[in-house]
Amino acid sequence: MKKMFPKLTASLAVCSVLVSASIAADVIKIGVQAPITGQYANEGQSIDNGVKLIVDQYNAKGGVLGKKIEVVTCDDQGTAQQAAICAKKLVNEGVKAVIGSYTSGATEAAQTTYNRAGVLQTSDGTSDSLIAHKYWTFFRNSFPNSAEADYTAKYFVDGKQYKKIVILSDYSSYSTDLADATIKALKAKNANIIYEGKIKSGSQNFTATLTKIKSMDPDVIYFSGYYTDGGLLRAQQIQLGIKADFVGGDSNDNPDYMKLAGDSAKGTLLINVPTPDLLPYDIAKTFLVDYKAKFNMMPASIWSLMNVDGLRAILHTMEQTKSEDTKVIAENLHKLKDFPGITGPVTFREDGERIGGGYMTYEVQADKSYKIVYQ
Amino acid sequence: MDIFLQQMVNGLTIGSLYALVALGYTMVYGVMRLINFAHGDLVAFSAFIGLSVYAQIFGESVTSLIAVITVFVFTAAIVAFVGVLLERLAYRPLRTAPRLSAVVSALGAGLVIQNSIMLIWGPNMKIFPSDLFPSTIWEIGGIVITFTQVMILGLSSVLMVGLYFFIHQTKIGTAIRAVAIDQDAAKLMGINVGRIIMIIFIIGSTLGAVAGLFIGTYYRGVTFDMGWMYGLNAFVAAIMGGIGNIPGAMLGGLLLGLFNAMITGYISTQWAETFTFVLLIVILVFRPTGILGETVAEKV
């Protein structure tokens, strides 16, 4: 009996090693890096929900490559500092791909870490600078700011024929980048920009800046920042009696924008790709029904759906190539042509850029519904 | 010219919010020689309490004067209670300890309050109902003044003048001033110092609660971490006016609000915060006691 024990423990140890190894190999880990808390929590939670929904659907069908998918979520709070921490954490967890983040700043802060570790990353960040590094691991699942800027300039000059334009942004990398791109596109069309300014995100009180703008009597105030500031800007604009149109960039398209602006939301013009419920694709309709059934609400915005498309493209390529090797997947993602996505066909360029655009302008109605006014 | 006057109105509105918060800092400092860094988070806390009280009692639809008054009274009572609790738990055990311990305790208490708000109400921005106050707007010679602004300016003036008279005309006010000058001597004269400190926390927290509710009704969106920003600005205002000095806190608050609006309006948004702290340094260098620090002999 005494002699049995060492053998027994040894064999047990071998067994447990084998078991844990086989468990580890049976799972493919997918990371989510998103602002689960903080200013943009609403968007981050929606990304996390969307990813979990798709993963559950895959797992119900037996996973991918015969393995279950496991989601590892890391909260980057929309900040660069937390994003860097998340990147290290997710790499250590051994994820194959990371979905996110929502903000360009948080995405950019994590890019290098993922690239070094050979982890795929797909984000809805729209800063043009995101693809400047030419990382083979990075794929944008939304459209770049320059595409939106070109559309905005066309709308302002050809559509609305604004004579006096005010451009406002905040200090985030996304907002600054979009404002710069828009200014560039407007100048190329010889538009008259009378004021370019910045507001400090989260500072709540924008009346001083708006009062200054009022004295210039502009035709339009364009804001390239996020919904939390956009809603307040619009409300304070109406309070101060500034008659100009208010045009919000894509990140103002959020239910909280309506709540913050209150009655002032009426008449706001929002520029974005189609809202979730306006997506014409069958796959989008099914997804929204499933999402509503599971989480009892609608996704925060189209941005979460774009992230979901990023995940679907990666899983699809994994199945197609029958490979877990991120190098192989990346190579084939670059070759992907018109993969049917929730937000439309997905095609990645060689530098990871998603091709397309399809922006629209919505006018917010008194009942907070949208009316398409320019396409 | 009307642009200048409009900036004045904007600046005074935010300035009176700073002043209300600054009073809480200055009174606690005047009596206890302690910078109560948790005060800003208490202001944020009151905004969330106000939201919940409103939702609990009135659902989300009723808006009347009675509803608004009830929300203000309930919220002020709850926040005042939390303020007293804060003093009991975080400051009283450290009353004889070195001053640094109490400051560290205050910073810790602020973090506890901030994280509690996040855990109770969640990390997302919460939004006040838009129809709490009538959306009336007056336009006088090109200057726009909203009903909410008049409310904020009027009510905070009343509160500040009331506080000034309370401190200078009543028996409790005299006792507060006595404790501010010399705690031990006040004790010998039969003043219950513990009770006076409690009263200070009740008054400070109540004013903070009103400020928090004003922030909510004026800006609509409230976040769990907004207390830091208002706390910091009010702290600067209190120092500028002369910390420990009640008229100084009011003056400091209003001046800071005006200063901010003018810098933002005439120079740029980017520099507003930088200039605020440059101003603070200038005042500390040339007048270390603050604007009103020397003219009034006694603190509080």
mmCIF file of all heavy atoms in Angstrom, chain B residues 158-184:
data_model
loop_
_atom_site.group_PDB
_atom_site.id
_atom_site.type_symbol
_atom_site.label_atom_id
_atom_site.label_comp_id
_atom_site.label_asym_id
_atom_site.label_seq_id
_atom_site.Cartn_x
_atom_site.Cartn_y
_atom_site.Cartn_z
ATOM 1 N N VAL B 158 -30.438 83.976 -1.517
ATOM 2 C CA VAL B 158 -31.219 83.933 -0.278
ATOM 3 C C VAL B 158 -30.504 83.061 0.759
ATOM 4 O O VAL B 158 -30.343 83.442 1.929
ATOM 5 C CB VAL B 158 -32.639 83.380 -0.554
ATOM 6 C CG1 VAL B 158 -33.364 83.062 0.746
ATOM 7 C CG2 VAL B 158 -33.433 84.388 -1.373
ATOM 8 N N LEU B 159 -30.039 81.871 0.302
ATOM 9 C CA LEU B 159 -29.369 80.955 1.226
ATOM 10 C C LEU B 159 -28.096 81.577 1.799
ATOM 11 O O LEU B 159 -27.814 81.466 2.993
ATOM 12 C CB LEU B 159 -29.023 79.648 0.511
ATOM 13 C CG LEU B 159 -30.174 78.682 0.295
ATOM 14 C CD1 LEU B 159 -29.728 77.518 -0.565
ATOM 15 C CD2 LEU B 159 -30.702 78.157 1.630
ATOM 16 N N MET B 160 -27.333 82.244 0.930
ATOM 17 C CA MET B 160 -26.059 82.796 1.380
ATOM 18 C C MET B 160 -26.277 83.955 2.345
ATOM 19 O O MET B 160 -25.618 84.040 3.382
ATOM 20 C CB MET B 160 -25.222 83.230 0.169
ATOM 21 C CG MET B 160 -24.658 82.038 -0.594
ATOM 22 S SD MET B 160 -23.443 82.487 -1.819
ATOM 23 C CE MET B 160 -24.444 82.667 -3.262
ATOM 24 N N VAL B 161 -27.214 84.846 2.037
ATOM 25 C CA VAL B 161 -27.509 85.966 2.943
ATOM 26 C C VAL B 161 -28.048 85.420 4.269
ATOM 27 O O VAL B 161 -27.633 85.842 5.359
ATOM 28 C CB VAL B 161 -28.523 86.932 2.285
ATOM 29 C CG1 VAL B 161 -28.974 87.985 3.292
ATOM 30 C CG2 VAL B 161 -27.892 87.594 1.072
ATOM 31 N N GLY B 162 -28.932 84.417 4.146
ATOM 32 C CA GLY B 162 -29.493 83.798 5.357
ATOM 33 C C GLY B 162 -28.386 83.229 6.235
ATOM 34 O O GLY B 162 -28.375 83.428 7.457
ATOM 35 N N LEU B 163 -27.429 82.548 5.603
ATOM 36 C CA LEU B 163 -26.338 81.949 6.364
ATOM 37 C C LEU B 163 -25.519 83.036 7.068
ATOM 38 O O LEU B 163 -25.144 82.903 8.233
ATOM 39 C CB LEU B 163 -25.436 81.140 5.423
ATOM 40 C CG LEU B 163 -24.221 80.506 6.088
ATOM 41 C CD1 LEU B 163 -24.651 79.400 7.031
ATOM 42 C CD2 LEU B 163 -23.245 79.970 5.057
ATOM 43 N N TYR B 164 -25.281 84.139 6.346
ATOM 44 C CA TYR B 164 -24.487 85.237 6.914
ATOM 45 C C TYR B 164 -25.169 85.764 8.177
ATOM 46 O O TYR B 164 -24.525 85.941 9.210
ATOM 47 C CB TYR B 164 -24.329 86.355 5.875
ATOM 48 C CG TYR B 164 -23.411 87.445 6.346
ATOM 49 C CD1 TYR B 164 -22.032 87.287 6.265
ATOM 50 C CD2 TYR B 164 -23.912 88.625 6.898
ATOM 51 C CE1 TYR B 164 -21.177 88.275 6.710
ATOM 52 C CE2 TYR B 164 -23.068 89.622 7.349
ATOM 53 C CZ TYR B 164 -21.695 89.445 7.258
ATOM 54 O OH TYR B 164 -20.853 90.411 7.711
ATOM 55 N N PHE B 165 -26.471 85.964 8.096
ATOM 56 C CA PHE B 165 -27.177 86.477 9.270
ATOM 57 C C PHE B 165 -27.247 85.438 10.384
ATOM 58 O O PHE B 165 -27.137 85.763 11.563
ATOM 59 C CB PHE B 165 -28.584 86.975 8.884
ATOM 60 C CG PHE B 165 -28.532 88.337 8.273
ATOM 61 C CD1 PHE B 165 -28.740 88.528 6.912
ATOM 62 C CD2 PHE B 165 -28.239 89.452 9.057
ATOM 63 C CE1 PHE B 165 -28.657 89.789 6.345
ATOM 64 C CE2 PHE B 165 -28.160 90.722 8.502
ATOM 65 C CZ PHE B 165 -28.374 90.884 7.144
ATOM 66 N N PHE B 166 -27.386 84.184 9.992
ATOM 67 C CA PHE B 166 -27.422 83.100 10.993
ATOM 68 C C PHE B 166 -26.125 83.091 11.802
ATOM 69 O O PHE B 166 -26.135 82.988 13.029
ATOM 70 C CB PHE B 166 -27.628 81.753 10.288
ATOM 71 C CG PHE B 166 -27.574 80.569 11.208
ATOM 72 C CD1 PHE B 166 -28.652 80.269 12.035
ATOM 73 C CD2 PHE B 166 -26.450 79.757 11.268
ATOM 74 C CE1 PHE B 166 -28.609 79.187 12.889
ATOM 75 C CE2 PHE B 166 -26.399 78.668 12.125
ATOM 76 C CZ PHE B 166 -27.479 78.383 12.934
ATOM 77 N N ILE B 167 -25.010 83.244 11.116
ATOM 78 C CA ILE B 167 -23.709 83.198 11.788
ATOM 79 C C ILE B 167 -23.506 84.438 12.675
ATOM 80 O O ILE B 167 -22.910 84.365 13.738
ATOM 81 C CB ILE B 167 -22.567 83.102 10.732
ATOM 82 C CG1 ILE B 167 -22.670 81.796 9.950
ATOM 83 C CG2 ILE B 167 -21.192 83.223 11.377
ATOM 84 C CD1 ILE B 167 -22.266 80.558 10.696
ATOM 85 N N HIS B 168 -24.033 85.583 12.198
ATOM 86 C CA HIS B 168 -23.714 86.818 12.912
ATOM 87 C C HIS B 168 -24.791 87.277 13.879
ATOM 88 O O HIS B 168 -24.523 88.102 14.760
ATOM 89 C CB HIS B 168 -23.404 87.932 11.909
ATOM 90 C CG HIS B 168 -22.046 87.756 11.293
ATOM 91 N ND1 HIS B 168 -20.906 88.246 11.845
ATOM 92 C CD2 HIS B 168 -21.663 87.077 10.176
ATOM 93 C CE1 HIS B 168 -19.872 87.901 11.113
ATOM 94 N NE2 HIS B 168 -20.303 87.184 10.090
ATOM 95 N N GLN B 169 -26.024 86.785 13.762
ATOM 96 C CA GLN B 169 -27.101 87.327 14.592
ATOM 97 C C GLN B 169 -27.636 86.343 15.629
ATOM 98 O O GLN B 169 -28.311 86.752 16.562
ATOM 99 C CB GLN B 169 -28.272 87.780 13.696
ATOM 100 C CG GLN B 169 -27.889 88.756 12.591
ATOM 101 C CD GLN B 169 -27.603 90.152 13.116
ATOM 102 O OE1 GLN B 169 -28.130 90.549 14.150
ATOM 103 N NE2 GLN B 169 -26.733 90.885 12.446
ATOM 104 N N THR B 170 -27.375 85.048 15.445
ATOM 105 C CA THR B 170 -28.009 84.104 16.364
ATOM 106 C C THR B 170 -27.008 83.603 17.404
ATOM 107 O O THR B 170 -25.800 83.779 17.271
ATOM 108 C CB THR B 170 -28.553 82.879 15.607
ATOM 109 O OG1 THR B 170 -27.445 82.199 15.020
ATOM 110 C CG2 THR B 170 -29.545 83.280 14.535
ATOM 111 N N LYS B 171 -27.576 82.961 18.434
ATOM 112 C CA LYS B 171 -26.756 82.444 19.514
ATOM 113 C C LYS B 171 -25.861 81.295 19.018
ATOM 114 O O LYS B 171 -24.668 81.236 19.323
ATOM 115 C CB LYS B 171 -27.682 81.926 20.629
ATOM 116 C CG LYS B 171 -27.107 82.129 22.014
ATOM 117 C CD LYS B 171 -28.182 81.817 23.042
ATOM 118 C CE LYS B 171 -27.553 81.552 24.383
ATOM 119 N NZ LYS B 171 -28.537 81.092 25.376
ATOM 120 N N ILE B 172 -26.474 80.416 18.221
ATOM 121 C CA ILE B 172 -25.681 79.296 17.678
ATOM 122 C C ILE B 172 -24.569 79.842 16.788
ATOM 123 O O ILE B 172 -23.426 79.381 16.826
ATOM 124 C CB ILE B 172 -26.585 78.329 16.865
ATOM 125 C CG1 ILE B 172 -27.646 77.727 17.776
ATOM 126 C CG2 ILE B 172 -25.755 77.227 16.222
ATOM 127 C CD1 ILE B 172 -28.644 76.854 17.069
ATOM 128 N N GLY B 173 -24.892 80.883 16.001
ATOM 129 C CA GLY B 173 -23.895 81.508 15.130
ATOM 130 C C GLY B 173 -22.731 82.046 15.942
ATOM 131 O O GLY B 173 -21.557 81.861 15.587
ATOM 132 N N THR B 174 -23.044 82.680 17.058
ATOM 133 C CA THR B 174 -21.996 83.204 17.929
ATOM 134 C C THR B 174 -21.129 82.067 18.454
ATOM 135 O O THR B 174 -19.891 82.162 18.480
ATOM 136 C CB THR B 174 -22.636 83.972 19.110
ATOM 137 O OG1 THR B 174 -23.652 84.823 18.591
ATOM 138 C CG2 THR B 174 -21.599 84.801 19.840
ATOM 139 N N ALA B 175 -21.807 80.967 18.836
ATOM 140 C CA ALA B 175 -21.065 79.802 19.340
ATOM 141 C C ALA B 175 -20.149 79.247 18.254
ATOM 142 O O ALA B 175 -18.997 78.896 18.518
ATOM 143 C CB ALA B 175 -22.044 78.731 19.809
ATOM 144 N N ILE B 176 -20.642 79.210 17.004
ATOM 145 C CA ILE B 176 -19.817 78.703 15.897
ATOM 146 C C ILE B 176 -18.581 79.584 15.738
ATOM 147 O O ILE B 176 -17.457 79.098 15.603
ATOM 148 C CB ILE B 176 -20.630 78.685 14.570
ATOM 149 C CG1 ILE B 176 -21.721 77.610 14.646
ATOM 150 C CG2 ILE B 176 -19.715 78.413 13.376
ATOM 151 C CD1 ILE B 176 -22.650 77.590 13.458
ATOM 152 N N ARG B 177 -18.792 80.900 15.795
ATOM 153 C CA ARG B 177 -17.656 81.804 15.649
ATOM 154 C C ARG B 177 -16.661 81.622 16.802
ATOM 155 O O ARG B 177 -15.453 81.672 16.606
ATOM 156 C CB ARG B 177 -18.145 83.261 15.564
ATOM 157 C CG ARG B 177 -18.665 83.598 14.156
ATOM 158 C CD ARG B 177 -19.094 85.037 14.050
ATOM 159 N NE ARG B 177 -20.261 85.298 14.898
ATOM 160 C CZ ARG B 177 -20.482 86.451 15.527
ATOM 161 N NH1 ARG B 177 -19.609 87.434 15.434
ATOM 162 N NH2 ARG B 177 -21.567 86.612 16.251
ATOM 163 N N ALA B 178 -17.209 81.399 17.988
ATOM 164 C CA ALA B 178 -16.330 81.204 19.154
ATOM 165 C C ALA B 178 -15.475 79.952 18.981
ATOM 166 O O ALA B 178 -14.261 79.969 19.204
ATOM 167 C CB ALA B 178 -17.177 81.109 20.419
ATOM 168 N N VAL B 179 -16.112 78.853 18.538
ATOM 169 C CA VAL B 179 -15.372 77.605 18.345
ATOM 170 C C VAL B 179 -14.303 77.789 17.263
ATOM 171 O O VAL B 179 -13.195 77.262 17.363
ATOM 172 C CB VAL B 179 -16.338 76.452 17.967
ATOM 173 C CG1 VAL B 179 -15.579 75.191 17.610
ATOM 174 C CG2 VAL B 179 -17.300 76.178 19.113
ATOM 175 N N ALA B 180 -14.638 78.589 16.236
ATOM 176 C CA ALA B 180 -13.687 78.826 15.154
ATOM 177 C C ALA B 180 -12.448 79.551 15.661
ATOM 178 O O ALA B 180 -11.334 79.289 15.211
ATOM 179 C CB ALA B 180 -14.344 79.633 14.038
ATOM 180 N N ILE B 181 -12.630 80.449 16.627
ATOM 181 C CA ILE B 181 -11.479 81.209 17.124
ATOM 182 C C ILE B 181 -10.617 80.339 18.043
ATOM 183 O O ILE B 181 -9.411 80.248 17.881
ATOM 184 C CB ILE B 181 -11.959 82.481 17.856
ATOM 185 C CG1 ILE B 181 -12.654 83.415 16.858
ATOM 186 C CG2 ILE B 181 -10.769 83.218 18.490
ATOM 187 C CD1 ILE B 181 -13.449 84.511 17.525
ATOM 188 N N ASP B 182 -11.248 79.706 19.018
ATOM 189 C CA ASP B 182 -10.477 78.898 19.959
ATOM 190 C C ASP B 182 -11.368 77.811 20.554
ATOM 191 O O ASP B 182 -12.252 78.087 21.362
ATOM 192 C CB ASP B 182 -9.928 79.806 21.074
ATOM 193 C CG ASP B 182 -8.912 79.055 21.936
ATOM 194 O OD1 ASP B 182 -9.030 77.815 22.047
ATOM 195 O OD2 ASP B 182 -8.010 79.711 22.487
ATOM 196 N N GLN B 183 -11.118 76.569 20.125
ATOM 197 C CA GLN B 183 -11.969 75.456 20.583
ATOM 198 C C GLN B 183 -11.919 75.272 22.086
ATOM 199 O O GLN B 183 -12.942 75.074 22.731
ATOM 200 C CB GLN B 183 -11.538 74.158 19.886
ATOM 201 C CG GLN B 183 -11.985 74.078 18.456
ATOM 202 C CD GLN B 183 -12.018 72.637 17.963
ATOM 203 O OE1 GLN B 183 -11.959 71.694 18.744
ATOM 204 N NE2 GLN B 183 -12.119 72.477 16.659
ATOM 205 N N ASP B 184 -10.710 75.327 22.649
ATOM 206 C CA ASP B 184 -10.576 75.052 24.085
ATOM 207 C C ASP B 184 -11.259 76.128 24.923
ATOM 208 O O ASP B 184 -11.974 75.822 25.877
ATOM 209 C CB ASP B 184 -9.091 74.947 24.453
ATOM 210 C CG ASP B 184 -8.455 73.751 23.775
ATOM 211 O OD1 ASP B 184 -9.166 72.718 23.625
ATOM 212 O OD2 ASP B 184 -7.288 73.832 23.355
#
